[in-house]
Amino acid sequence: MSSTAVVLKFLMERNSINALHGQVTVGTLILQDCAVGLLFALLPVLRGTSGILQGAISMTKSLVLLCTFLTILSILSRTCVPWFLKLMITLSSQTNELYQLASVAFCLLVAWCSDKLGLSLELGSFAAGVMISTTDLAQHTLEQIEPIRNFFAALFLASIGMLIHVHFLWNHVDILLAAVILVIIIKTIVVTTVVKGFGYSNKTSLLVGMSLAQIGEFAFVLLSRASNVHLVEGKLYLLLLGTTALSLVTTPLLFKMIPAVIHLGVLLRWFPPDSNSSETGHKGENHRVDSGKRITLMVQASHDS
């Protein structure tokens, strides 16, 4: 899984959200996040505590539950959520604290319901952000919770740092570096090939592949769950943890390399010199640009919180 929060941040900084490769990247990231619940259901099967048939039944139940949950949230996002947010705006006309607390409480409530249904806390937080993004108050809500978002983002990164065993990773730095390089290369090749298979240009495919080359923050959650069921333990757990963290650190470097890679591709005639126009004109990707921008902003907020 790739990092939604990190990739969105760099796409927004480069104003690439509405480009073709940006839209494909964001869509892939959202689909990956929605698959978290299914991956949780798969962990007991990988450990061997349940058979393949039981695992298939468990994943089917999770999929049905996920679809039902998302359907209910979709209905609420069109009926109750806009009314609730407008009510909070009216009540907090003198101060913004009430609206901030109401927004955070709403996200925590959806996350709590998701966790109680066995779909994971993270999926619920993500869904709550998307629900708010469908309203007219999406941008206002994002501005109000930005200080809280930054606090939770700092707390999350600090908690990840506490899990890292520097001495162990230093003693296994050769394995760690090899694993990170393999992850980046293999993910780039696989994603580029898949995107190319759907008819996109070489440039778009490579841009999406490089954007999704890292391991995302949800991997820490999956590793934690896998450790709880004793599927991943000891050195393997620490190495996977270090590989995930280091791949996230290399993401800024990958994005800085993109212009050089594109220039090299043009020189080698992999990409046409005027391929910039294909970034926005292929397959009608200009539809729903405004709504896509709002969803992107709220997805980032829900991930950071």
Side-chain angles (χ1 to χ4, degrees):
M1 301 183 66
S2 304
S3 174
T4 303
V6 174
V7 174
L8 283 179
K9 179 178 181 295
F10 283 100
L11 288 177
M12 292 175 66
E13 288 179 353
R14 295 173 177 271
N15 296 321
S16 299
I17 288 293
N18 295 321
L20 177 57
H21 72 275
Q23 293 295 304
V24 175
T25 300
V26 172
T28 305
L29 290 169
I30 293 176
L31 184 60
Q32 287 182 352
D33 294 337
C34 292
V36 172
L38 299 180
L39 295 176
F40 286 156
L42 187 61
L43 290 179
V45 180
L46 295 176
R47 184 171 180 262
T49 55
S50 61
I52 296 179
L53 180 59
Q54 292 177 334
I57 295 175
S58 177
M59 291 191 66
T60 302
K61 289 181 179 178
S62 298
L63 184 59
V64 172
L65 187 61
L66 174 64
C67 294
T68 304
F69 181 67
L70 294 179
T71 301
I72 294 175
L73 293 185
S74 178
I75 295 174
L76 293 176
S77 66
R78 298 181 180 182
T79 54
C80 300
V81 176
W83 171 83
F84 172 74
L85 293 179
K86 290 179 181 178
L87 177 63
M88 291 298 103
I89 282 284
T90 303
L91 296 177
S92 59
S93 57
Q94 302 297 327
T95 177
N96 292 324
E97 283 77 7
L98 178 60
Y99 188 82
Q100 290 176 338
L101 291 175
S103 301
V104 173
F106 170 76
C107 294
L108 292 177
L109 176 62
V110 177
W112 179 81
C113 294
S114 176
D115 183 61
K116 289 300 179 181
L117 292 174
L119 296 175
S120 84
L121 196 69
E122 298 75 24
L123 178 61
S125 301
F126 167 80
V130 175
M131 289 175 69
I132 297 178
S133 74
T134 60
T135 68
D136 296 332
L137 296 172
Q139 184 62 36
H140 176 73
T141 305
L142 180 59
E143 294 173 354
Q144 294 299 317
I145 68 171
E146 187 171 3
I148 304 175
R149 181 195 66 179
N150 295 336
F151 170 75
F152 278 114
L155 188 62
F156 171 76
L157 294 176
S159 64
I160 296 303
M162 295 177 187
L163 297 175
I164 302 298
H165 292 257
V166 178
H167 181 70
F168 173 83
L169 295 180
W170 178 255
N171 291 335
H172 299 81
V173 65
D174 51 344
I175 301 177
L176 183 64
L177 292 176
V180 172
I181 293 173
L182 283 175
V183 165
I184 293 175
I185 293 176
I186 292 176
K187 284 198 68 176
T188 301
I189 293 175
V190 170
V191 175
T192 301
T193 303
V194 171
V195 176
K196 179 63 178 176
F198 280 90
Y200 291 94
S201 65
N202 292 335
K203 179 180 178 181
T204 300
S205 302
L206 183 60
L207 286 173
V208 176
M210 294 185 66
S211 299
L212 301 177
Q214 76 291 130
I215 306 177
E217 59 277 351
F218 273 166
F220 295 113
V221 182
L222 285 173
L223 280 174
S224 177
R225 295 290 183 95
S227 178
N228 291 338
V229 298
H230 306 291
L231 178 62
V232 178
E233 295 179 307
K235 294 182 178 180
L236 180 59
Y237 172 75
L238 294 176
L239 285 174
L240 289 174
L241 198 65
T243 302
T244 302
L246 189 57
S247 71
L248 281 174
V249 173
T250 60
T251 302
L253 178 61
L254 287 176
F255 273 89
K256 289 182 179 180
M257 290 174 57
I258 286 179
V261 173
I262 296 301
H263 181 67
L264 179 62
V266 172
L267 292 178
L268 296 177
R269 297 184 179 180
W270 293 344
F271 317 134
D274 58 344
S275 59
N276 288 334
S277 60
S278 66
E279 291 300 311
T280 55
H282 189 61
K283 292 191 175 182
E285 291 293 331
N286 286 328
H287 294 302
R288 301 179 183 177
V289 167
D290 293 335
S291 61
K293 185 183 297 183
R294 294 205 311 269
I295 291 177
T296 299
L297 292 171
M298 293 309 301
V299 165
Q300 185 186 33
S302 64
H303 266 264
D304 288 340
S305 59

